[in-house]
Amino acid sequence: MNSELIPGRLSVPSLSALAAFEAAARHGSFTRAAEELNLTQGAVSRQVAHLEKVLGVSLFQRVRKRVSLTAAGSAYAAEIRDGLSRLAAATVSAMAFRGAAGVLNLAILPTFGTRWLIPRLPRFIEAHPGITINFATRLVPFDFSREEVDAAIHFGDPVWPGAVLHRLMGEEVVPVAAPSLIARAGIVAAADMLRVPLLQQSTRPRAWANWLEQQGLPPERAMMGPRFEQFAMVSQAAVAGLGLAIVPRFLIEEELRSGALVVPVDRPVAGSEGYYLVYPEAKAGLPTVIAFRDWLLGEFAVTA
């Protein structure tokens, strides 16, 4: 094996050389990379030259005092950047174990997280003070094997290959709008809603069509209107009077209590989809996953 590589079964260059290369590739400058790493420009240049010698390929084109990535360098930089990011995340996770019972990396739906989960989280922390939860946002299913995620809150059908799913609850969606918009548009019946913009949620493209069909109304305008990525944005747009939104009732309880939003026609529609706790089969025995699963299912049992 090449003596320039780190000993062991894997042929991996030194981390100092990889860090110098990644910084130089990102900045397109050995000088700026040196400033970031608190090294001299010469030290960065030597690290990169050493790496090129180990790999046997040129990573940079050097023209006078400027450098630019070669095709090989560009491809290598993308992979190295991802690898260093994973190492950094793994290091932070490992450090979190100091004096703790463990770390749970949890992917959540953003509005569900802010409106339902986080307000209840102090009870979990009180019951499990040694567990640290790291949050990430995911709007659609993903491959657990490619993500640094232990579990996820998912909305949809109970289909996720290689994973365990626990149904948490279903939902009822209702149309809502600002009182001023309802008064201005004279909305007293479902058909009156077709006179105002229908705000769209990008991950629920058929929400309005389903509701209108349930009311016996034509769905032609169901997908026409401003589109938003999250329910929180849709709700705020409705509060601002930009149009009618159709959202799960439990996500807008605060706005309904305050009167910022009103349900002009209270005809909720419930679908077959639901909210699920999901985790890969390989992590079903992880103590942090078990603790969070038992607590979360208990919270929904109380709510029900």
Side-chain angles (χ1 to χ4, degrees):
M1 184 174 65
N2 191 327
S3 62
E4 302 290 344
L5 300 174
I6 293 176
R9 287 182 296 175
L10 296 177
S11 297
V12 181
S14 69
L15 286 177
S16 57
L18 293 176
F21 164 67
E22 190 280 329
R26 180 161 32 88
H27 290 296
S29 165
F30 287 178
T31 300
R32 292 182 64 187
E35 292 172 354
E36 177 183 309
L37 299 173
N38 198 26
L39 299 172
T40 65
Q41 187 270 347
V44 170
S45 181
R46 286 192 295 273
Q47 289 278 21
V48 172
H50 173 75
L51 183 59
E52 290 176 319
K53 179 182 177 182
V54 170
L55 298 176
V57 296
S58 295
L59 300 174
F60 288 98
Q61 293 177 335
R62 296 162 175 82
V63 180
R64 296 192 179 95
K65 293 184 178 181
R66 301 184 63 181
V67 295
S68 60
L69 288 167
T70 63
S74 181
Y76 193 51
E79 296 291 340
I80 292 304
R81 187 169 298 119
D82 181 64
L84 291 176
S85 295
R86 286 177 175 270
L87 281 173
T91 301
V92 171
S93 293
M95 292 172 66
F97 277 89
R98 293 181 299 191
V103 175
L104 178 70
N105 295 311
L106 180 67
I108 60 172
L109 301 166
T111 308
F112 176 90
T114 56
R115 292 299 182 95
W116 193 96
L117 179 59
I118 291 177
R120 293 167 171 80
L121 208 56
R123 293 200 283 269
F124 176 79
I125 295 172
E126 182 179 359
H128 304 279
I131 295 179
T132 299
I133 300 182
N134 297 326
F135 293 95
T137 298
R138 297 291 185 278
L139 298 175
V140 296
F142 56 89
D143 185 349
F144 275 106
S145 67
R146 295 179 176 273
E147 302 268 359
E148 297 295 327
V149 173
D150 301 315
I153 304 295
H154 160 65
F155 178 84
D157 294 315
V159 179
W160 199 313
V164 179
L165 293 94
H166 298 275
R167 184 177 174 89
L168 302 174
M169 68 174 183
E171 68 174 13
E172 289 184 343
V173 296
V174 291
V176 293
S180 58
L181 176 65
I182 294 172
R184 188 168 66 250
I187 298 174
V188 295
D192 299 331
M193 297 182 181
L194 301 179
R195 297 198 296 263
V196 301
L198 302 181
L199 307 177
Q200 310 290 321
Q201 213 274 6
S202 59
T203 61
R204 307 283 187 93
R206 283 198 51 80
W208 270 115
N210 291 338
W211 193 87
L212 292 173
E213 287 169 0
Q214 289 281 335
Q215 316 313 316
L217 295 172
E220 284 79 9
R221 293 189 62 251
M223 300 184 72
M224 298 173 61
R227 193 168 302 276
F228 303 86
E229 192 174 59
Q230 301 176 10
F231 274 128
M233 299 173 68
V234 175
S235 300
Q236 287 304 304
V239 170
L242 298 183
L244 276 157
I246 186 159
V247 295
R249 194 194 297 267
F250 81 97
L251 292 180
I252 52 166
E253 291 175 346
E254 182 178 332
E255 287 82 356
L256 293 176
R257 280 195 299 267
S258 69
L261 289 176
V262 175
V263 181
V265 179
D266 198 356
R267 297 177 185 172
V269 171
S272 61
E273 297 176 314
Y275 290 85
Y276 293 85
L277 172 66
V278 190
Y279 49 85
E281 294 172 351
K283 295 188 176 182
L286 201 65
T288 51
V289 170
I290 293 172
F292 184 74
R293 177 200 66 196
D294 292 348
W295 172 80
L296 189 63
L297 293 177
E299 286 290 315
F300 275 99
V302 171
T303 301

